[in-house]
Amino acid sequence: RDLWSKGVPIILTSGTLSANGSFEHIKRTTGVGLIPPRRLLETSKPSPFNHAENSLIYISESVPFPDSKNMDYLLAVADETERLIQASHGHGAVLFTSYKAMDMVFEILSKRGLGFPLFRLDRGGGNTIEKFKRSKNGVLFASGAMWEGIDIPGDILSMLIIVRLPFAVPDPISEYEKTLYKGLSDYIDYVVIPEMLIKLKQGHGRLLRTEYDSGVVAFLDYRLRLDGAYRDHGLSALPRCRVVSTIAEVTGFLREKKAAEFFA
């Protein structure tokens, strides 16, 4: 009543309000859904950037099911990350959902001497982003705030590696929310998946920041593979572009899009 009953037209707008083209989740969580339908207008517009031409999605078929307590999994993430950043000659950001996993993979790769400056974005580390931008071909390891609102245009960020689907960590509020639904499957369908897809779109949106940008978004999550449980959900939420599963295709795309000095 305080917000939506003033008789004044109000616009809610964001790049990530919808999940798979539907506003039901945001309407339910904000209470907007209680307003009579005749008083609501909604529309969803595609990205103004040419993703089909300027971006590529790579989905790893080799990284096992996510388990940050399993050293074999962390080594597989490190190995795949190394292959990808070698293909892009640095110019990358590796996006985690866990600071602990980020620290462990960062430590593994730091010891390998990859030939590119490596940066770790800790909480409140705004200066780190500026150092990454100045590095020209560094690799930024990040979690938390990097998922949304950080703007890194240009060639410096041409390889965005999303290690794991951004499912929310259970907490007392989510445990209570479960009790509001008939069963766990309803809670997953109406809350868990829409919230994950919205955050996934936010993370994906870190790559192309201007109409001149180009690059690759790489996903290392087992659940997006060809037979993965969330492949259809994930891909349908993202802008349409070519999807590949080999490093050779990634290298070919970047060689086609980037000038020779990018690899110097």
Side-chain angles (χ1 to χ4, degrees):
R1 285 192 298 270
D2 287 343
L3 292 175
W4 315 119
S5 301
K6 306 292 187 184
V8 178
I10 296 172
I11 296 174
L12 304 182
T13 180
S14 169
T16 52
L17 277 182
S18 65
N20 280 349
S22 170
F23 292 94
E24 291 308 309
H25 178 67
I26 194 70
K27 289 194 291 187
R28 186 167 56 248
T29 55
T30 58
V32 173
L34 299 174
I35 296 173
R38 68 180 184 278
R39 294 183 56 198
L40 290 175
L41 294 173
E42 59 187 52
T43 184
S44 184
K45 300 295 184 183
S47 169
F49 300 142
N50 189 349
H51 286 270
E53 184 68 26
N54 294 327
S55 69
L56 186 76
I57 287 178
Y58 168 84
I59 298 178
S60 173
E61 294 287 328
S62 63
V63 177
F65 190 86
D67 181 1
S68 296
K69 297 178 181 178
N70 186 326
M71 185 52 67
D72 288 339
Y73 165 72
L74 294 170
L75 285 170
V77 169
D79 291 344
E80 193 77 330
T81 298
E82 180 177 358
R83 286 189 282 268
L84 287 163
I85 63 177
Q86 292 291 352
S88 63
H89 202 73
H91 305 95
V94 192
L95 198 49
F96 293 81
T97 57
S98 158
Y99 281 101
K100 182 177 180 181
M102 179 186 82
D103 290 342
M104 295 183 75
V105 174
F106 180 86
E107 183 178 352
I108 292 169
L109 291 176
S110 294
K111 294 176 180 178
R112 294 186 181 179
L114 304 185
F116 308 108
L118 304 184
F119 303 91
R120 184 173 59 199
L121 181 63
D122 296 312
R123 294 174 178 85
N127 190 44
T128 304
I129 294 174
E130 293 307 312
K131 291 179 180 178
F132 167 66
K133 290 179 178 179
R134 291 196 297 269
S135 74
K136 304 298 184 185
N137 70 339
V139 180
L140 178 67
F141 291 72
S143 185
M146 181 66 187
W147 279 90
E148 53 186 293
I150 291 180
D151 190 32
I152 307 177
D155 279 347
I156 180 59
L157 181 50
S158 297
M159 171 63 71
L160 176 68
I161 301 171
I162 295 179
V163 173
R164 189 170 180 168
L165 290 174
F167 285 102
V169 177
D171 60 19
I173 293 176
S174 63
E175 291 300 320
Y176 167 72
E177 276 189 307
K178 287 181 187 178
T179 67
L180 304 179
Y181 294 84
K182 293 179 180 179
L184 180 60
S185 61
D186 282 350
Y187 173 68
I188 291 173
D189 290 341
Y190 290 118
V191 178
V192 175
I193 293 176
E195 288 184 353
M196 181 274 289
L197 293 177
I198 287 171
K199 188 149 190 176
L200 185 68
K201 290 200 296 182
Q202 290 171 335
H204 179 277
R206 298 312 96 209
L207 182 69
L208 300 190
R209 305 302 298 171
T210 77
E211 60 189 283
Y212 306 106
D213 290 349
S214 61
V216 176
V217 179
F219 294 100
L220 308 189
D221 197 306
Y222 177 101
R223 294 164 292 187
L224 286 177
R225 306 160 45 143
L226 282 170
D227 57 350
Y230 291 99
R231 184 181 180 91
D232 291 341
H233 284 294
L235 291 181
S236 62
L238 301 176
R240 297 295 175 89
C241 66
R242 187 156 61 98
V243 180
V244 303
S245 59
T246 70
I247 300 294
E249 290 170 295
V250 170
T251 301
F253 174 83
L254 291 170
R255 291 284 175 181
E256 175 188 322
K257 291 296 177 185
K258 303 297 183 180
E261 55 265 26
F262 179 88
F263 302 96

